[in-house]
Amino acid sequence: MEYGKEEKTTNLAFSKVVTSRLGGETISLCYQCGTCASSCPVAKITERFNPREVIKLSLLGEKNEVISGDAIWLCCSCYNCQERCPQKVEIADVIYALRNIALEEGYIPNIYSEFASALLNDGRIVKVSKFVENKRSVLGLPPLQPTGVDALRKILSATGFDKLQQKEEESE
Amino acid sequence: MTEVRYLLFLGCVIPYRITSYEISTRKVAEKLGMELVEMPDFNCCGLPIDSVSHDMMLALAARNLCLAEQQNLNIMTLCPGCGGTLLKVNEKLKHDKVLKQKVNGYLKEIGLEFKGTIKVKHIVQVLLEDVGFEKIKETIQRPLTSLKVAEHEGCHVLRPKKYLGFDDPEDPMVFKKLIELTGAECLDYEDETACCGAPIIGVNDMIPLQLTREKLVHIREVGAQAVITVCPFCHMMFDINQPRIERVFNEKFGIPALHYTQLLGLAMGISPDELALDQLRVKASKVLEVLSLTQKATPLQK
């Protein structure tokens, strides 16, 4: 009985965490009909990702399984599931919220660390190099200016993003 | 006719890796009498960072929106990912006061404030709503009537409908009509609105390669001579990654992927060289043959 109570609290705790996130608000509306899974191009070709399963595990409080696994990173954000969900669960946005939680707990695919570093250095995810600048001028395209990285760093710091990034670099 | 004047938001990938899309857009815009204003100090739209930090995505998108507000100009994007992100954040901030306050708190650090005075559209929506089909028709000099193509519009031009809403995501018509204006025949094929998988390239490559391979199989089945895109990431899947797909699945496709602006440009009578067709990885020589056009070597290739 005691055990059951404790379980219930934990479960509720994780779905509350997801619900409190921007984008995660609608997760608890899910009634597990599976429209998302049958609309998902990725689920069609691999068992490694199934949106219904990700939502179910999250609602059941299986936090570790959700945030440490690779499933949440395999969503292609095509928004088919979200468009068709009869309960208006914003599934793709819920998955973004789960990814944010995963990152805060130290789980992140390398490519996203690379995006984040490029952003901190150049303000864009593709490095702004002399080579490409020259290529643009040969092609007759107007030059691009640097992104005002100093300004960006100030906002990054305000959102707490730079701290997240430092944590990532330390853990590598 | 009302003036079509937009701030051109290029995003991270197009200006360096998919310049053929930018070059052909500028050529076509000139013929359509559109004025594209440069936005040199834009930053990443925010989308690639949404997975890492939602707040950071909001701040990045909002900074771009503020730059446009300062110039009092609406934004046109070539990338549907950028377009979708900037549009969604713009709408959210316009309607959610609490969120606006939070994001303005970040922007205050750099002396900016989101006001909600501009609009954001992807080029397809601009062509539909601001340029108009009639104007496009007037610019067609060389209808591509002998050409059969397939369309791949890309997910973020259509979904979420809640924000985009100018076409039906389950049975989209706008892009097909735009293609047909060039005189080319736009063929239906199986699972036409299916995703190419591009957003997870780098996390997992096999899934996107397989998704795009399936699309190529369906496109080949109906006999299309090219696939037409309006997204740099979808284009990368069909063009740069096509030889890789052919290697991995031991199957030959040879289906060129043209940006819509290249197709339209050809129909306007602009030369293949001016439209940067030489930049395509999968050569469009058969398409040009069908159209009885030739392509010269460009200075870059010499």
Side-chain angles (χ1 to χ4, degrees), chain B residues 133-189:
Chain B
F133 291 171
E134 282 310 309
K135 174 74 196 171
I136 298 173
K137 260 187 222 165
E138 285 168 21
T139 61
I140 305 296
Q141 303 270 317
R142 179 171 58 198
L144 314 174
T145 38
S146 45
L147 194 65
K148 292 182 194 328
V149 301
E151 63 89 24
H152 173 83
E153 190 167 10
C155 300
H156 298 149
V157 182
L158 301 167
R159 294 181 290 265
K161 196 184 175 194
K162 184 167 127 183
Y163 297 109
L164 292 143
F166 65 88
D167 206 353
D168 177 1
E170 300 291 353
D171 187 18
M173 297 308 294
V174 174
F175 190 40
K176 283 198 164 177
K177 281 185 187 152
L178 283 171
I179 289 173
E180 280 163 1
L181 290 177
T182 68
E185 189 183 346
C186 189
L187 304 169
D188 295 331
Y189 66 95

Side-chain angles (χ1 to χ4, degrees), chain A residues 22 44 48 75-78 83-84 90 96 99-100 103 123-125 128 132 135-136 145 147 151 156, chain B residues 12 15-16 22 40 42-44 50-52 54 56 110 155-156 159-162 170 191 199-200 204:
Chain A
L22 286 171
K44 200 174 158 185
R48 291 165 64 194
C75 167
C76 288
S77 319
C78 76
E83 211 56 69
R84 294 177 185 168
E90 300 191 327
Y96 276 115
R99 287 177 180 176
N100 278 204
L103 172 94
R124 299 185 189 128
I125 58 161
V128 183
V132 276
K135 188 179 148 196
R136 281 185 69 79
Q145 283 167 14
T147 318
L156 288 160
Chain B
C12 298
Y16 298 122
E22 181 185 346
F42 69 89
N43 54 260
C44 168
D50 201 7
S51 294
V52 180
H54 190 71
M56 190 59 219
I110 51 169
C155 300
H156 298 149
R159 294 181 290 265
K161 196 184 175 194
K162 184 167 127 183
E170 300 291 353
D191 285 339
I200 60 166
N204 177 304

